[in-house]
Amino acid sequence: MEGERGRGRTGAAKLDPSVINDEMEEQKKRDKIKEDGQFFMHWLKECTPFGFSPEEVQIALKRSPKDPLHYLQNKWLEIIKNAIVGVKFEKCNKGSYGIPSRNEIRLVLIECQGDITAAKKLCVKNRKKKINELFKKIDGRFQVSWDDAVQALSETELDVDQAYYTVQRYGLQELYEYLMSDFSKMVSEGQTEMEYLKGLIIERMKKKDSEDVYN
């Protein structure tokens, strides 16, 4: 009997210590993920009422885990401001790349995980691309200056289609201002705007006809 009991104890399955350790490590990881998730949700709830996105909260937790809200309200906003100024003074031989909006800078900073140098480079790269796309869309249909193209893209958050119509509006506004430059004369002669514009067009047509005859 004793021999049988001895054999029973000897033949019992033994747990591999490495397996136990692996299971413990996996459980620790699961607990850590759960803890991190709860921590993130806590700060997300604290930060979103102030207009910060989940991506911004994630960056803040990496940079300042003790008080990410304070980081976002102070350091993060300072980074955004500095990035805007940095892009503002970037220039090429045709002119500047314009002043990016706060939201435009926010997005590139998020993409670059808060790296201000990388964000400025990415912002300029994006603007170069959009400027080229806008001039390609215009394709010589009307004259647009570099500065007007940049301004139109800034006004439309880099929306090329909207910027296209914006630069058209610029051109019409300039034309209107040119035609109305002699507004005082129109008023003194008691003309309406339409009468005045009609007169200018007729005058221009006569001038064009005389130029054609001369040539």
Side-chain angles (χ1 to χ4, degrees):
M1 291 293 290
E2 289 182 4
E4 290 178 1
R5 284 197 296 271
R7 284 196 298 274
R9 286 195 297 272
T10 303
K14 293 183 179 180
L15 292 175
D16 188 340
S18 64
V19 173
I20 296 174
N21 289 336
D22 288 344
E23 289 180 353
M24 290 177 65
E25 287 299 319
E26 286 299 319
Q27 185 59 46
K28 285 181 181 179
K29 288 179 181 178
R30 288 192 290 270
D31 292 342
K32 182 69 166 57
I33 291 171
K34 183 179 179 181
E35 182 182 337
D36 288 346
Q38 291 173 342
F39 187 63
F40 174 73
M41 291 306 297
H42 165 75
W43 282 110
L44 183 62
K45 187 177 179 180
E46 292 290 321
C47 297
T48 48
F50 295 93
F52 297 109
S53 68
E55 293 82 4
E56 287 173 305
V57 175
Q58 285 181 326
I59 292 172
L61 283 170
K62 292 178 182 178
R63 301 295 179 92
S64 180
K66 290 185 178 180
D67 194 349
L69 179 57
H70 182 268
Y71 174 87
L72 289 171
Q73 290 179 319
N74 294 275
K75 185 63 176 178
W76 183 247
L77 295 181
E78 182 183 341
I79 289 173
I80 290 174
K81 180 180 178 181
N82 290 338
I84 290 173
V85 173
V87 173
K88 176 183 176 181
F89 289 105
E90 285 286 335
K91 293 184 178 181
C92 66
N93 59 348
K94 294 181 180 179
S96 76
Y97 294 103
I99 304 174
S101 68
R102 181 180 181 276
N103 188 56
E104 184 183 342
I105 286 294
R106 273 183 64 251
L107 293 176
V108 291
L109 276 168
I110 289 170
E111 189 171 345
C112 297
Q113 289 296 299
D115 186 324
I116 188 170
T117 301
K120 286 190 291 187
K121 289 180 180 178
L122 180 58
C123 185
V124 170
K125 180 181 177 181
N126 290 343
R127 284 183 157 253
K128 282 182 181 178
K129 180 182 177 183
K130 293 296 182 179
I131 291 168
N132 289 335
E133 288 179 8
L134 178 56
F135 276 110
K136 186 176 180 180
K137 186 176 180 67
I138 293 169
D139 194 26
R141 293 183 180 89
F142 47 87
Q143 293 297 315
V144 178
S145 70
W146 172 275
D147 290 341
D148 281 350
V150 170
Q151 179 63 28
L153 284 166
S154 294
E155 289 181 12
T156 58
E157 292 284 342
L158 302 186
D159 186 316
V160 173
D161 291 333
Q162 290 297 321
Y164 178 82
Y165 294 112
T166 299
V167 290
Q168 279 187 316
R169 191 182 73 240
Y170 290 164
L172 291 173
Q173 180 64 27
E174 288 177 5
L175 176 61
Y176 180 80
E177 289 174 358
Y178 168 75
L179 293 174
M180 298 303 294
S181 59
D182 200 11
F183 184 77
S184 59
K185 180 181 177 182
M186 177 194 80
V187 173
S188 64
E189 294 178 357
Q191 293 176 304
T192 64
E193 288 186 16
M194 288 303 298
E195 289 172 338
Y196 175 65
L197 293 175
K198 183 179 179 181
L200 283 176
I201 293 170
I202 293 173
E203 184 180 332
R204 175 57 184 158
M205 290 174 67
K206 288 180 179 178
K207 183 178 179 182
K208 183 69 169 60
D209 289 340
S210 64
E211 289 174 352
D212 291 341
V213 171
Y214 179 78
N215 292 328

